[in-house]
């Protein structure tokens, strides 16, 4: 623990040394972050202020939008600010906090996506028992389980990071603090620690992805028993969920399910699960969802919606 006090801050090497690229990235990521906040807040407010909030799928979607905002806000604001300065630093305490919040909110998002898959399975494969299976109490319990599971996932990683000794150098080849880049600058043998991180974090992502893949496979197989209209509606919803799962889990599995090392490509993949995927979630869930679009029009343009209904 004494060696940790030799370093009070870390230097983040960021995305690029080129000033022109940094300015371009600043404009791009500022736009992405504003679009992400606006899109997820739009979904959140539209669901909360409409009857859709009482439907399990939209109840989980509102929580997913909240997690998207919290998750990306642990990284993106600092990334945007760092693109305007030459020396990018983060204090030791903020670095540890960033590791915990990223894995906590990211873990919560993973488990909420799993709850959404269970909801779609119950709705399509057990339609007669859906109301009983997905009652409001069970929905609350699933969200609480997502938070609890995320805490169980995040605390060991946080404990691992905070127990690492650092005595120099203090340069992290990334645009935020994460466990693998920290292992590279720790003043100790981190091989076993790295394997434990892969076994814990990487396997969580892989197992969850397999569970989601199998669940949606069963759902798609069941669709053959539905009417054409039922298939169209169910496919529209499930395709949105599958797209979100692939965009999020693909980069996460690439980063964490491999030997504990870092590559230059890690920064690009990290951009996908920290900024790109949360930004596209509102578009994916609204453009293919007629109920969501109707709720948004009703809330934000009530006069226009009433004219459409009467016409």
């Amino acid at each position: 623990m004494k060696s940790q006090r030799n370093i009070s801050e870390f230097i983040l090497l960021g995305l690029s040394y080129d000033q022109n690229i940094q300015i371009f990235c600043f404009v791009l990521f500022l736009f992405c972050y504003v679009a992400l906040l606006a899109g997820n807040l739009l979904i959140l407010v539209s669901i909360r202020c409409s009857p859709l909030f009482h439907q399990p799928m939209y109840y989980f979607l509102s929580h997913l939008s909240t997690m998207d905002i919290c998750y990306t806000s642990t990284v993106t604001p600092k990334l945007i600010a760092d693109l305007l300065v030459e020396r990018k630093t983060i204090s030791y305490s903020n670095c540890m906090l960033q590791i915990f919040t990223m894995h906590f909110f990211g873990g919560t998002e993973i488990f909420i996506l799993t709850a959404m898959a269970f909801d779609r399975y119950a709705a399509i494969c057990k339609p007669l028992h859906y109301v009983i299976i997905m009652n409001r109490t069970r929905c609350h319990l699933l969200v609480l389980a997502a938070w609890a599971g995320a805490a169980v996932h995040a605390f060991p990683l946080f404990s691992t990071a905070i127990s690492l000794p650092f005595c120099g150098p203090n340069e992290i080849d990334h645009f935020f603090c994460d466990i693998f880049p920290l292992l590279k600058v720790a003043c100790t043998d981190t091989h076993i620690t790295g394997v434990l991180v892969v076994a814990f974090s990487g396997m969580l992502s892989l197992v969850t992805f397999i569970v989601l893949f199998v669940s949606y496979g069963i759902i798609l197989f069941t669709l053959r028993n539905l009417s054409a209209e039922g298939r169209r509606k169910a496919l529209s919803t499930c395709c949105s969920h599958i797209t979100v799962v692939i965009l999020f889990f693909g980069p996460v599995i690439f980063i964490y399910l491999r030997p504990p090392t870092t590559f230059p490509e890690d920064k690009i993949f990290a951009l996908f699960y920290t900024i790109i995927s949360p930004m596209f979630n509102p578009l994916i869930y609204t453009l293919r969802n007629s109920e969501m679009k109707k709720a948004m029009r009703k809330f934000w343009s009530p006069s226009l919606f009433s004219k459409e209904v009467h016409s």
Side-chain angles (χ1 to χ4, degrees):
M1 295 297 292
K2 289 182 179 179
S3 61
Q4 290 179 352
R5 299 191 183 98
N6 292 338
I7 288 180
S8 60
E9 65 178 17
F10 294 99
I11 299 172
L12 300 172
L13 299 185
L15 293 171
S16 173
Y17 295 107
D18 190 298
Q19 187 66 30
N20 293 326
I21 293 178
Q22 290 194 62
I23 293 173
F24 171 78
C25 288
F26 170 80
V27 175
L28 175 63
F29 296 140
L30 180 61
F31 169 80
C32 290
Y33 187 56
V34 171
L36 182 152
L37 291 178
N40 281 292
L41 285 172
L42 181 64
I43 285 181
L44 191 58
V45 174
S46 298
I47 292 176
R48 293 275 180 170
C49 299
S50 75
L52 289 181
F53 184 66
H54 300 289
Q55 298 183 30
M57 185 180 78
Y58 298 100
Y59 172 78
F60 292 130
L61 180 56
S62 68
H63 282 281
L64 183 67
S65 292
T66 303
M67 285 304 103
D68 277 339
I69 293 172
C70 295
Y71 176 64
T72 196
S73 294
T74 63
V75 173
T76 309
K78 176 160 180 56
L79 167 62
I80 294 171
D82 282 347
L83 289 169
L84 296 178
V85 298
E86 183 176 349
R87 191 171 184 268
K88 307 163 180 44
T89 62
I90 184 170
S91 67
Y92 174 84
S93 57
N94 285 341
C95 181
M96 297 300 113
L97 178 63
Q98 194 173 64
I99 288 176
F100 174 76
T101 52
M102 266 209 66
H103 286 277
F104 177 72
F105 291 128
T108 307
E109 185 158 341
I110 285 175
F111 291 121
I112 287 177
L113 286 171
T114 307
M116 294 174 75
F118 177 71
D119 170 69
R120 289 300 85 201
Y121 168 80
I124 295 171
C125 301
K126 307 285 184 181
L128 298 178
H129 302 92
Y130 177 69
V131 177
I132 299 173
I133 295 173
M134 297 305 297
N135 57 60
R136 183 49 53 135
T137 300
R138 182 157 291 159
C139 290
H140 288 324
L141 289 175
L142 285 172
V143 171
L144 286 174
W147 285 77
V152 171
H153 166 67
F155 272 111
L157 293 175
F158 173 72
S159 299
T160 299
I162 208 168
S163 64
L164 291 172
F166 299 102
C167 50
N170 64 338
E171 291 185 340
I172 298 177
D173 189 14
H174 216 305
F175 60 87
F176 67 92
C177 281
D178 202 3
I179 191 70
F180 281 163
L182 276 180
L183 292 178
K184 288 188 67 176
V185 298
C187 301
T188 186
D189 183 8
T190 59
H191 178 73
I192 295 177
T193 304
V195 172
L196 291 175
V197 171
V198 171
F200 190 72
S201 192
M203 289 306 297
L204 170 68
S205 303
L206 180 63
V207 170
T208 308
F209 179 75
I210 292 173
V211 169
L212 291 172
F213 184 83
V214 172
S215 299
Y216 283 115
I218 295 172
I219 291 170
L220 293 175
F221 181 76
T222 308
L223 291 181
R224 60 194 177 89
N225 299 323
L226 301 181
S227 64
E229 177 63 21
R231 277 198 301 269
R232 186 197 63 77
K233 187 176 180 180
L235 272 175
S236 177
T237 303
C238 289
C239 286
S240 298
H241 291 195
I242 292 169
T243 304
V244 169
V245 166
I246 292 174
L247 279 176
F248 184 80
F249 279 91
V252 168
I253 290 173
F254 174 81
I255 294 291
Y256 293 105
L257 194 68
R258 68 175 194 217
T261 184
T262 58
F263 299 108
E265 296 81 9
D266 289 354
K267 299 177 185 179
I268 304 300
F269 281 92
L271 287 173
F272 271 91
Y273 62 78
T274 56
I275 302 175
I276 305 300
S277 176
M279 181 186 68
F280 278 114
N281 282 358
L283 293 175
I284 292 169
Y285 280 114
T286 55
L287 291 180
R288 298 180 60 88
N289 192 311
S290 58
E291 288 185 319
M292 192 70 234
K293 288 188 285 188
K294 187 186 297 182
M296 291 168 66
R297 285 199 305 270
K298 184 177 181 180
F299 179 76
W300 298 101
S301 302
S303 58
L304 180 61
F305 178 79
S306 60
K307 289 180 182 177
E308 290 179 2
V309 172
H310 291 305
S311 61

